[in-house]
DNA sequence: TATGGTTGTCTATGTTAATAGACATTTCGG
DNA sequence: CCGAAATGTCTATTAACATAGACAACCATA
């Protein structure tokens, strides 16, 4: 599987950023697990066909992310290498699916507001456009590391206390249960990958230029009636989406 | 809903490339469908808070992709805006799922070779490491536009003529049928998003810095025995993956 | 045909990215 | 303790990116 390590010039993407992305990929692929450190700067410079200083810029960016740490005289140590495997199935729940991959998972409520449903939200939830719905903005983390941020919409008529219940119970599943909904399944998921915008960079603590996977999903009750319209943005370099059919 | 149009400086990604990506996204979102053209350069420059020349670089890149065409005195016309919706389910077939979204779909065989199965391939296909398997490299296009490129592995013992049959029938499904396998289902799919490498840029005719979604999938016969290990890279700005559960 | 709005082209200037080389500093093993 | 190997720091130079302003060329329309 020796993926070619090629960098392109004059593409609008700086060489040091391309190289940083490639090294990050190699780390999460486990290419350097033997030694627990990245190859020497001079070797990397040779592999990528660039100057050592360019590699240093790339490594500095990765050190800034906390992914590696350079030690003078020794080398550049790998600090982290995880890529969480994230199941997407009919029963997708955040913390549950991660299983024993993380010691601690957390979902933090950023904001909540009640507002009239916009076109795509109304269509997804099968309610009248303009009907009131509750919007929750969350950031989910594993072991203190942000993994995804999401914007969810719930029909207010059915789940009037969604925000309060979530804040109390710290779980969408439990907040649903508090409204008398014991079970729900995913009926639709659409995925798109793109560069992270400014908000996402801040929320997910990403380095600029990073990629997010945006999943637009609809959950429904056992009768097939939509209960949640969610748009979740995953930090692409921290997750692997596993589709279970 | 009104996604912020923010560009970041000193990120290693040139402003013109960030802007080109954002405009591409707006086009495929249909933001400019009313007028059929992109806003004037001066307006875009104002929106993004950059110089007009920087916007011109971005538009030049998009014109290079064939996405827009500038006409002096009139404006910059939109030439294309598609984003194919691509279903991923237990029965994922390339051409079939696209339905009426494209007039013509094509799968082109780039190369085929028989080689001993590497670690992950052997594990995925549940054959002994080193056992012979057939590798097919394909590029799939819709209406002449490359959408994905893939590398597939098949156990040679069971599908000895995979390459020949595919070349004749132009379809994995039909090539399976020619080997006596009438039906198969997807048992595993993993998704990762990253920047395209040099090969993918060329094969998919992408502009440098573009994003690909890499899907690693395993198909199995009705008895659950794996028959295909595939790694497919989609041009992220041309597709939307729709997960059907 | 005159005018306003749009893209095309040119010059100039400052900033960032990348290369090149030299040498200092630190670590580790012989 | 010495020397090889690694990272850290400095200077200098070139190419690419970004800004700024001016004006030409072209299109639509009043």
């Amino acid at each position: 599987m020796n993926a070619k390590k090629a960098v392109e010039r004059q593409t609008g993407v700086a060489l040091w950023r391309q190289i940083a992305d490639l090294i990050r990929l190699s780390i999460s692929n486990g290419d350097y697990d033997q030694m627990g450190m990245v190859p020497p700067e001079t070797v990397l410079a040779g592999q990528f066909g660039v100057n050592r200083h360019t590699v240093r810029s790339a490594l500095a960016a990765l050190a800034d992310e906390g992914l590696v740490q350079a030690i003078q005289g020794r080398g550049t140590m790998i600090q982290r290498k995880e890529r969480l495997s994230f199941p997407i199935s009919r029963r997708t729940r955040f913390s549950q699916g991660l299983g024993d991959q993380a010691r601690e998972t957390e979902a933090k409520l950023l904001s909540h507001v009640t507002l009239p449903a916009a076109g795509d939200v109304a269509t997804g939830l099968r309610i009248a456009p303009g009907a009131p719905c509750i919007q929750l903005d969350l950031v989910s983390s594993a072991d203190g590391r942000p993994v995804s941020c999401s914007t969810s919409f719930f029909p207010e008529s059915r789940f009037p206390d969604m925000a309060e219940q979530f804040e109390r119970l710290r779980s969408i599943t439990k907040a649903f249960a508090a409204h008398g909904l014991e079970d729900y399944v995913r009926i639709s998921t659409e995925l798109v990958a793109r560069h992270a915008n400014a908000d996402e960079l801040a929320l997910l603590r990403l380095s600029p230029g990073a990629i997010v996977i945006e999943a637009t999903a609809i959950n429904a009750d056992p009768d097939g009636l939509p209960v949640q319209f969610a748009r979740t943005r995953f930090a692409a370099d921290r997750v692997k989406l596993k589709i279970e059919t």
PDB file of all heavy atoms in Angstrom, chain C residues 5-17:
ATOM      1  P    DG C   5     -23.463  51.772 -12.319  1.00  0.00           P
ATOM      2  OP1  DG C   5     -24.533  51.708 -11.309  1.00  0.00           O
ATOM      3  OP2  DG C   5     -22.209  52.509 -12.061  1.00  0.00           O
ATOM      4  O5'  DG C   5     -23.077  50.279 -12.720  1.00  0.00           O
ATOM      5  C5'  DG C   5     -24.053  49.456 -13.348  1.00  0.00           C
ATOM      6  C4'  DG C   5     -23.375  48.294 -14.046  1.00  0.00           C
ATOM      7  O4'  DG C   5     -22.654  48.778 -15.211  1.00  0.00           O
ATOM      8  C3'  DG C   5     -22.334  47.568 -13.173  1.00  0.00           C
ATOM      9  O3'  DG C   5     -22.575  46.176 -13.262  1.00  0.00           O
ATOM     10  C2'  DG C   5     -20.997  47.936 -13.813  1.00  0.00           C
ATOM     11  C1'  DG C   5     -21.402  48.128 -15.269  1.00  0.00           C
ATOM     12  N9   DG C   5     -20.470  48.956 -16.038  1.00  0.00           N
ATOM     13  C8   DG C   5     -19.999  50.204 -15.720  1.00  0.00           C
ATOM     14  N7   DG C   5     -19.189  50.695 -16.613  1.00  0.00           N
ATOM     15  C5   DG C   5     -19.119  49.703 -17.580  1.00  0.00           C
ATOM     16  C6   DG C   5     -18.389  49.667 -18.799  1.00  0.00           C
ATOM     17  O6   DG C   5     -17.641  50.519 -19.270  1.00  0.00           O
ATOM     18  N1   DG C   5     -18.606  48.468 -19.480  1.00  0.00           N
ATOM     19  C2   DG C   5     -19.422  47.454 -19.056  1.00  0.00           C
ATOM     20  N2   DG C   5     -19.516  46.393 -19.847  1.00  0.00           N
ATOM     21  N3   DG C   5     -20.108  47.480 -17.918  1.00  0.00           N
ATOM     22  C4   DG C   5     -19.910  48.635 -17.242  1.00  0.00           C
ATOM     23  P    DT C   6     -21.937  45.186 -12.175  1.00  0.00           P
ATOM     24  OP1  DT C   6     -22.989  44.226 -11.796  1.00  0.00           O
ATOM     25  OP2  DT C   6     -21.262  46.020 -11.155  1.00  0.00           O
ATOM     26  O5'  DT C   6     -20.809  44.397 -12.960  1.00  0.00           O
ATOM     27  C5'  DT C   6     -21.180  43.521 -14.023  1.00  0.00           C
ATOM     28  C4'  DT C   6     -20.020  43.329 -14.971  1.00  0.00           C
ATOM     29  O4'  DT C   6     -19.633  44.609 -15.524  1.00  0.00           O
ATOM     30  C3'  DT C   6     -18.723  42.824 -14.359  1.00  0.00           C
ATOM     31  O3'  DT C   6     -18.707  41.409 -14.353  1.00  0.00           O
ATOM     32  C2'  DT C   6     -17.652  43.379 -15.293  1.00  0.00           C
ATOM     33  C1'  DT C   6     -18.389  44.391 -16.154  1.00  0.00           C
ATOM     34  N1   DT C   6     -17.658  45.682 -16.275  1.00  0.00           N
ATOM     35  C2   DT C   6     -16.902  45.889 -17.390  1.00  0.00           C
ATOM     36  O2   DT C   6     -16.793  45.074 -18.285  1.00  0.00           O
ATOM     37  N3   DT C   6     -16.251  47.102 -17.431  1.00  0.00           N
ATOM     38  C4   DT C   6     -16.292  48.101 -16.478  1.00  0.00           C
ATOM     39  O4   DT C   6     -15.665  49.153 -16.623  1.00  0.00           O
ATOM     40  C5   DT C   6     -17.103  47.814 -15.333  1.00  0.00           C
ATOM     41  C7   DT C   6     -17.212  48.833 -14.237  1.00  0.00           C
ATOM     42  C6   DT C   6     -17.748  46.633 -15.284  1.00  0.00           C
ATOM     43  P    DT C   7     -17.386  40.649 -13.767  1.00  0.00           P
ATOM     44  OP1  DT C   7     -17.850  39.286 -13.474  1.00  0.00           O
ATOM     45  OP2  DT C   7     -16.805  41.490 -12.729  1.00  0.00           O
ATOM     46  O5'  DT C   7     -16.358  40.608 -14.978  1.00  0.00           O
ATOM     47  C5'  DT C   7     -16.677  39.852 -16.144  1.00  0.00           C
ATOM     48  C4'  DT C   7     -15.652  40.109 -17.235  1.00  0.00           C
ATOM     49  O4'  DT C   7     -15.454  41.539 -17.380  1.00  0.00           O
ATOM     50  C3'  DT C   7     -14.253  39.530 -16.980  1.00  0.00           C
ATOM     51  O3'  DT C   7     -13.762  38.978 -18.194  1.00  0.00           O
ATOM     52  C2'  DT C   7     -13.444  40.734 -16.554  1.00  0.00           C
ATOM     53  C1'  DT C   7     -14.087  41.833 -17.389  1.00  0.00           C
ATOM     54  N1   DT C   7     -13.893  43.188 -16.833  1.00  0.00           N
ATOM     55  C2   DT C   7     -13.250  44.125 -17.603  1.00  0.00           C
ATOM     56  O2   DT C   7     -12.826  43.910 -18.716  1.00  0.00           O
ATOM     57  N3   DT C   7     -13.122  45.356 -16.997  1.00  0.00           N
ATOM     58  C4   DT C   7     -13.557  45.731 -15.745  1.00  0.00           C
ATOM     59  O4   DT C   7     -13.385  46.861 -15.313  1.00  0.00           O
ATOM     60  C5   DT C   7     -14.215  44.689 -14.997  1.00  0.00           C
ATOM     61  C7   DT C   7     -14.741  44.965 -13.614  1.00  0.00           C
ATOM     62  C6   DT C   7     -14.357  43.482 -15.567  1.00  0.00           C
ATOM     63  P    DG C   8     -12.290  38.313 -18.220  1.00  0.00           P
ATOM     64  OP1  DG C   8     -12.320  37.255 -19.238  1.00  0.00           O
ATOM     65  OP2  DG C   8     -11.896  38.026 -16.837  1.00  0.00           O
ATOM     66  O5'  DG C   8     -11.364  39.501 -18.758  1.00  0.00           O
ATOM     67  C5'  DG C   8     -11.385  39.814 -20.147  1.00  0.00           C
ATOM     68  C4'  DG C   8     -10.171  40.670 -20.525  1.00  0.00           C
ATOM     69  O4'  DG C   8     -10.293  41.974 -19.884  1.00  0.00           O
ATOM     70  C3'  DG C   8      -8.831  40.094 -20.088  1.00  0.00           C
ATOM     71  O3'  DG C   8      -7.901  40.219 -21.148  1.00  0.00           O
ATOM     72  C2'  DG C   8      -8.445  40.952 -18.880  1.00  0.00           C
ATOM     73  C1'  DG C   8      -9.091  42.294 -19.215  1.00  0.00           C
ATOM     74  N9   DG C   8      -9.446  43.083 -18.043  1.00  0.00           N
ATOM     75  C8   DG C   8     -10.228  42.690 -16.983  1.00  0.00           C
ATOM     76  N7   DG C   8     -10.385  43.612 -16.073  1.00  0.00           N
ATOM     77  C5   DG C   8      -9.656  44.688 -16.557  1.00  0.00           C
ATOM     78  C6   DG C   8      -9.450  45.980 -16.003  1.00  0.00           C
ATOM     79  O6   DG C   8      -9.887  46.422 -14.937  1.00  0.00           O
ATOM     80  N1   DG C   8      -8.644  46.765 -16.829  1.00  0.00           N
ATOM     81  C2   DG C   8      -8.114  46.357 -18.032  1.00  0.00           C
ATOM     82  N2   DG C   8      -7.365  47.246 -18.671  1.00  0.00           N
ATOM     83  N3   DG C   8      -8.300  45.159 -18.557  1.00  0.00           N
ATOM     84  C4   DG C   8      -9.079  44.375 -17.767  1.00  0.00           C
ATOM     85  P    DT C   9      -6.431  39.593 -21.009  1.00  0.00           P
ATOM     86  OP1  DT C   9      -6.048  39.148 -22.369  1.00  0.00           O
ATOM     87  OP2  DT C   9      -6.423  38.652 -19.879  1.00  0.00           O
ATOM     88  O5'  DT C   9      -5.553  40.857 -20.628  1.00  0.00           O
ATOM     89  C5'  DT C   9      -5.663  42.045 -21.401  1.00  0.00           C
ATOM     90  C4'  DT C   9      -4.786  43.147 -20.829  1.00  0.00           C
ATOM     91  O4'  DT C   9      -5.448  43.767 -19.691  1.00  0.00           O
ATOM     92  C3'  DT C   9      -3.401  42.706 -20.326  1.00  0.00           C
ATOM     93  O3'  DT C   9      -2.421  43.493 -20.958  1.00  0.00           O
ATOM     94  C2'  DT C   9      -3.456  42.981 -18.814  1.00  0.00           C
ATOM     95  C1'  DT C   9      -4.460  44.117 -18.753  1.00  0.00           C
ATOM     96  N1   DT C   9      -5.146  44.298 -17.453  1.00  0.00           N
ATOM     97  C2   DT C   9      -5.117  45.543 -16.860  1.00  0.00           C
ATOM     98  O2   DT C   9      -4.560  46.500 -17.341  1.00  0.00           O
ATOM     99  N3   DT C   9      -5.793  45.615 -15.656  1.00  0.00           N
ATOM    100  C4   DT C   9      -6.463  44.593 -15.012  1.00  0.00           C
ATOM    101  O4   DT C   9      -7.021  44.771 -13.940  1.00  0.00           O
ATOM    102  C5   DT C   9      -6.442  43.322 -15.680  1.00  0.00           C
ATOM    103  C7   DT C   9      -7.142  42.142 -15.072  1.00  0.00           C
ATOM    104  C6   DT C   9      -5.792  43.235 -16.863  1.00  0.00           C
ATOM    105  P    DC C  10      -0.903  42.960 -20.970  1.00  0.00           P
ATOM    106  OP1  DC C  10      -0.442  43.098 -22.363  1.00  0.00           O
ATOM    107  OP2  DC C  10      -0.810  41.652 -20.270  1.00  0.00           O
ATOM    108  O5'  DC C  10      -0.151  44.050 -20.075  1.00  0.00           O
ATOM    109  C5'  DC C  10      -0.249  45.434 -20.434  1.00  0.00           C
ATOM    110  C4'  DC C  10      -0.037  46.308 -19.216  1.00  0.00           C
ATOM    111  O4'  DC C  10      -1.149  46.156 -18.316  1.00  0.00           O
ATOM    112  C3'  DC C  10       1.182  45.947 -18.364  1.00  0.00           C
ATOM    113  O3'  DC C  10       2.307  46.694 -18.798  1.00  0.00           O
ATOM    114  C2'  DC C  10       0.767  46.345 -16.951  1.00  0.00           C
ATOM    115  C1'  DC C  10      -0.714  46.654 -17.062  1.00  0.00           C
ATOM    116  N1   DC C  10      -1.535  46.016 -15.995  1.00  0.00           N
ATOM    117  C2   DC C  10      -2.002  46.791 -14.941  1.00  0.00           C
ATOM    118  O2   DC C  10      -1.732  48.005 -14.934  1.00  0.00           O
ATOM    119  N3   DC C  10      -2.740  46.206 -13.961  1.00  0.00           N
ATOM    120  C4   DC C  10      -3.002  44.894 -14.015  1.00  0.00           C
ATOM    121  N4   DC C  10      -3.729  44.364 -13.038  1.00  0.00           N
ATOM    122  C5   DC C  10      -2.528  44.076 -15.084  1.00  0.00           C
ATOM    123  C6   DC C  10      -1.802  44.665 -16.040  1.00  0.00           C
ATOM    124  P    DT C  11       3.725  46.399 -18.090  1.00  0.00           P
ATOM    125  OP1  DT C  11       4.740  46.876 -19.058  1.00  0.00           O
ATOM    126  OP2  DT C  11       3.758  45.012 -17.598  1.00  0.00           O
ATOM    127  O5'  DT C  11       3.728  47.355 -16.821  1.00  0.00           O
ATOM    128  C5'  DT C  11       3.296  48.724 -16.933  1.00  0.00           C
ATOM    129  C4'  DT C  11       3.324  49.372 -15.567  1.00  0.00           C
ATOM    130  O4'  DT C  11       2.180  48.894 -14.796  1.00  0.00           O
ATOM    131  C3'  DT C  11       4.566  49.018 -14.739  1.00  0.00           C
ATOM    132  O3'  DT C  11       5.171  50.195 -14.223  1.00  0.00           O
ATOM    133  C2'  DT C  11       4.049  48.131 -13.619  1.00  0.00           C
ATOM    134  C1'  DT C  11       2.601  48.566 -13.491  1.00  0.00           C
ATOM    135  N1   DT C  11       1.708  47.495 -12.987  1.00  0.00           N
ATOM    136  C2   DT C  11       0.877  47.755 -11.925  1.00  0.00           C
ATOM    137  O2   DT C  11       0.822  48.827 -11.372  1.00  0.00           O
ATOM    138  N3   DT C  11       0.094  46.688 -11.539  1.00  0.00           N
ATOM    139  C4   DT C  11       0.076  45.413 -12.096  1.00  0.00           C
ATOM    140  O4   DT C  11      -0.660  44.545 -11.654  1.00  0.00           O
ATOM    141  C5   DT C  11       0.977  45.219 -13.200  1.00  0.00           C
ATOM    142  C7   DT C  11       1.038  43.884 -13.879  1.00  0.00           C
ATOM    143  C6   DT C  11       1.740  46.244 -13.588  1.00  0.00           C
ATOM    144  P    DA C  12       6.579  50.059 -13.480  1.00  0.00           P
ATOM    145  OP1  DA C  12       7.308  51.325 -13.739  1.00  0.00           O
ATOM    146  OP2  DA C  12       7.194  48.759 -13.816  1.00  0.00           O
ATOM    147  O5'  DA C  12       6.170  50.035 -11.938  1.00  0.00           O
ATOM    148  C5'  DA C  12       5.233  50.994 -11.445  1.00  0.00           C
ATOM    149  C4'  DA C  12       4.913  50.688 -10.001  1.00  0.00           C
ATOM    150  O4'  DA C  12       3.920  49.638  -9.948  1.00  0.00           O
ATOM    151  C3'  DA C  12       6.104  50.195  -9.168  1.00  0.00           C
ATOM    152  O3'  DA C  12       6.279  51.050  -8.055  1.00  0.00           O
ATOM    153  C2'  DA C  12       5.728  48.780  -8.767  1.00  0.00           C
ATOM    154  C1'  DA C  12       4.213  48.803  -8.854  1.00  0.00           C
ATOM    155  N9   DA C  12       3.602  47.494  -9.122  1.00  0.00           N
ATOM    156  C8   DA C  12       3.867  46.651 -10.169  1.00  0.00           C
ATOM    157  N7   DA C  12       3.165  45.541 -10.143  1.00  0.00           N
ATOM    158  C5   DA C  12       2.389  45.665  -9.003  1.00  0.00           C
ATOM    159  C6   DA C  12       1.428  44.822  -8.415  1.00  0.00           C
ATOM    160  N6   DA C  12       1.081  43.642  -8.917  1.00  0.00           N
ATOM    161  N1   DA C  12       0.836  45.260  -7.278  1.00  0.00           N
ATOM    162  C2   DA C  12       1.189  46.442  -6.782  1.00  0.00           C
ATOM    163  N3   DA C  12       2.074  47.323  -7.240  1.00  0.00           N
ATOM    164  C4   DA C  12       2.644  46.865  -8.366  1.00  0.00           C
ATOM    165  P    DT C  13       7.531  50.806  -7.090  1.00  0.00           P
ATOM    166  OP1  DT C  13       7.946  52.136  -6.637  1.00  0.00           O
ATOM    167  OP2  DT C  13       8.479  49.888  -7.752  1.00  0.00           O
ATOM    168  O5'  DT C  13       6.897  50.051  -5.844  1.00  0.00           O
ATOM    169  C5'  DT C  13       5.664  50.529  -5.270  1.00  0.00           C
ATOM    170  C4'  DT C  13       5.248  49.585  -4.168  1.00  0.00           C
ATOM    171  O4'  DT C  13       4.552  48.445  -4.740  1.00  0.00           O
ATOM    172  C3'  DT C  13       6.408  49.019  -3.346  1.00  0.00           C
ATOM    173  O3'  DT C  13       6.161  49.191  -1.969  1.00  0.00           O
ATOM    174  C2'  DT C  13       6.445  47.547  -3.738  1.00  0.00           C
ATOM    175  C1'  DT C  13       4.991  47.281  -4.089  1.00  0.00           C
ATOM    176  N1   DT C  13       4.776  46.131  -4.996  1.00  0.00           N
ATOM    177  C2   DT C  13       3.768  45.236  -4.706  1.00  0.00           C
ATOM    178  O2   DT C  13       3.050  45.365  -3.748  1.00  0.00           O
ATOM    179  N3   DT C  13       3.641  44.199  -5.605  1.00  0.00           N
ATOM    180  C4   DT C  13       4.409  43.962  -6.726  1.00  0.00           C
ATOM    181  O4   DT C  13       4.211  43.007  -7.453  1.00  0.00           O
ATOM    182  C5   DT C  13       5.459  44.932  -6.969  1.00  0.00           C
ATOM    183  C7   DT C  13       6.352  44.769  -8.152  1.00  0.00           C
ATOM    184  C6   DT C  13       5.588  45.942  -6.102  1.00  0.00           C
ATOM    185  P    DG C  14       7.319  48.943  -0.901  1.00  0.00           P
ATOM    186  OP1  DG C  14       7.520  50.194  -0.157  1.00  0.00           O
ATOM    187  OP2  DG C  14       8.463  48.270  -1.570  1.00  0.00           O
ATOM    188  O5'  DG C  14       6.644  47.888   0.085  1.00  0.00           O
ATOM    189  C5'  DG C  14       5.302  48.087   0.536  1.00  0.00           C
ATOM    190  C4'  DG C  14       4.719  46.765   0.994  1.00  0.00           C
ATOM    191  O4'  DG C  14       4.512  45.910  -0.160  1.00  0.00           O
ATOM    192  C3'  DG C  14       5.626  45.982   1.960  1.00  0.00           C
ATOM    193  O3'  DG C  14       4.847  45.537   3.061  1.00  0.00           O
ATOM    194  C2'  DG C  14       6.145  44.826   1.107  1.00  0.00           C
ATOM    195  C1'  DG C  14       5.014  44.615   0.120  1.00  0.00           C
ATOM    196  N9   DG C  14       5.411  44.000  -1.161  1.00  0.00           N
ATOM    197  C8   DG C  14       6.377  44.434  -2.033  1.00  0.00           C
ATOM    198  N7   DG C  14       6.490  43.673  -3.086  1.00  0.00           N
ATOM    199  C5   DG C  14       5.548  42.674  -2.895  1.00  0.00           C
ATOM    200  C6   DG C  14       5.203  41.560  -3.707  1.00  0.00           C
ATOM    201  O6   DG C  14       5.679  41.216  -4.792  1.00  0.00           O
ATOM    202  N1   DG C  14       4.189  40.808  -3.132  1.00  0.00           N
ATOM    203  C2   DG C  14       3.583  41.086  -1.934  1.00  0.00           C
ATOM    204  N2   DG C  14       2.630  40.252  -1.545  1.00  0.00           N
ATOM    205  N3   DG C  14       3.887  42.117  -1.170  1.00  0.00           N
ATOM    206  C4   DG C  14       4.875  42.870  -1.712  1.00  0.00           C
ATOM    207  P    DT C  15       5.506  44.724   4.265  1.00  0.00           P
ATOM    208  OP1  DT C  15       4.942  45.256   5.509  1.00  0.00           O
ATOM    209  OP2  DT C  15       6.980  44.699   4.045  1.00  0.00           O
ATOM    210  O5'  DT C  15       4.952  43.250   4.057  1.00  0.00           O
ATOM    211  C5'  DT C  15       3.551  43.068   3.827  1.00  0.00           C
ATOM    212  C4'  DT C  15       3.280  41.597   3.572  1.00  0.00           C
ATOM    213  O4'  DT C  15       3.749  41.239   2.242  1.00  0.00           O
ATOM    214  C3'  DT C  15       3.988  40.643   4.546  1.00  0.00           C
ATOM    215  O3'  DT C  15       3.039  39.690   4.991  1.00  0.00           O
ATOM    216  C2'  DT C  15       5.101  40.035   3.695  1.00  0.00           C
ATOM    217  C1'  DT C  15       4.455  40.024   2.318  1.00  0.00           C
ATOM    218  N1   DT C  15       5.392  39.982   1.166  1.00  0.00           N
ATOM    219  C2   DT C  15       5.243  38.986   0.226  1.00  0.00           C
ATOM    220  O2   DT C  15       4.390  38.124   0.298  1.00  0.00           O
ATOM    221  N3   DT C  15       6.138  39.045  -0.817  1.00  0.00           N
ATOM    222  C4   DT C  15       7.141  39.971  -0.999  1.00  0.00           C
ATOM    223  O4   DT C  15       7.886  39.915  -1.970  1.00  0.00           O
ATOM    224  C5   DT C  15       7.250  40.987   0.024  1.00  0.00           C
ATOM    225  C7   DT C  15       8.302  42.032  -0.081  1.00  0.00           C
ATOM    226  C6   DT C  15       6.366  40.945   1.055  1.00  0.00           C
ATOM    227  P    DT C  16       3.383  38.664   6.185  1.00  0.00           P
ATOM    228  OP1  DT C  16       2.202  38.568   7.054  1.00  0.00           O
ATOM    229  OP2  DT C  16       4.702  39.023   6.735  1.00  0.00           O
ATOM    230  O5'  DT C  16       3.527  37.278   5.406  1.00  0.00           O
ATOM    231  C5'  DT C  16       2.435  36.808   4.630  1.00  0.00           C
ATOM    232  C4'  DT C  16       2.894  35.675   3.734  1.00  0.00           C
ATOM    233  O4'  DT C  16       3.865  36.150   2.781  1.00  0.00           O
ATOM    234  C3'  DT C  16       3.558  34.505   4.474  1.00  0.00           C
ATOM    235  O3'  DT C  16       2.821  33.335   4.152  1.00  0.00           O
ATOM    236  C2'  DT C  16       4.988  34.497   3.938  1.00  0.00           C
ATOM    237  C1'  DT C  16       4.804  35.118   2.563  1.00  0.00           C
ATOM    238  N1   DT C  16       6.014  35.742   1.942  1.00  0.00           N
ATOM    239  C2   DT C  16       6.435  35.299   0.715  1.00  0.00           C
ATOM    240  O2   DT C  16       5.887  34.401   0.098  1.00  0.00           O
ATOM    241  N3   DT C  16       7.544  35.937   0.222  1.00  0.00           N
ATOM    242  C4   DT C  16       8.248  36.963   0.817  1.00  0.00           C
ATOM    243  O4   DT C  16       9.227  37.461   0.283  1.00  0.00           O
ATOM    244  C5   DT C  16       7.749  37.388   2.114  1.00  0.00           C
ATOM    245  C7   DT C  16       8.438  38.483   2.848  1.00  0.00           C
ATOM    246  C6   DT C  16       6.661  36.768   2.607  1.00  0.00           C
ATOM    247  P    DA C  17       3.271  31.875   4.667  1.00  0.00           P
ATOM    248  OP1  DA C  17       2.041  31.064   4.824  1.00  0.00           O
ATOM    249  OP2  DA C  17       4.195  32.051   5.807  1.00  0.00           O
ATOM    250  O5'  DA C  17       4.084  31.284   3.448  1.00  0.00           O
ATOM    251  C5'  DA C  17       3.431  31.154   2.195  1.00  0.00           C
ATOM    252  C4'  DA C  17       4.354  30.493   1.196  1.00  0.00           C
ATOM    253  O4'  DA C  17       5.441  31.381   0.858  1.00  0.00           O
ATOM    254  C3'  DA C  17       5.014  29.190   1.664  1.00  0.00           C
ATOM    255  O3'  DA C  17       4.988  28.293   0.571  1.00  0.00           O
ATOM    256  C2'  DA C  17       6.427  29.623   2.034  1.00  0.00           C
ATOM    257  C1'  DA C  17       6.675  30.714   1.010  1.00  0.00           C
ATOM    258  N9   DA C  17       7.643  31.741   1.372  1.00  0.00           N
ATOM    259  C8   DA C  17       7.676  32.456   2.540  1.00  0.00           C
ATOM    260  N7   DA C  17       8.639  33.363   2.576  1.00  0.00           N
ATOM    261  C5   DA C  17       9.272  33.221   1.348  1.00  0.00           C
ATOM    262  C6   DA C  17      10.367  33.885   0.765  1.00  0.00           C
ATOM    263  N6   DA C  17      11.036  34.875   1.377  1.00  0.00           N
ATOM    264  N1   DA C  17      10.749  33.504  -0.469  1.00  0.00           N
ATOM    265  C2   DA C  17      10.059  32.526  -1.072  1.00  0.00           C
ATOM    266  N3   DA C  17       9.016  31.825  -0.623  1.00  0.00           N
ATOM    267  C4   DA C  17       8.662  32.232   0.603  1.00  0.00           C
TER     268       DA C  17
END
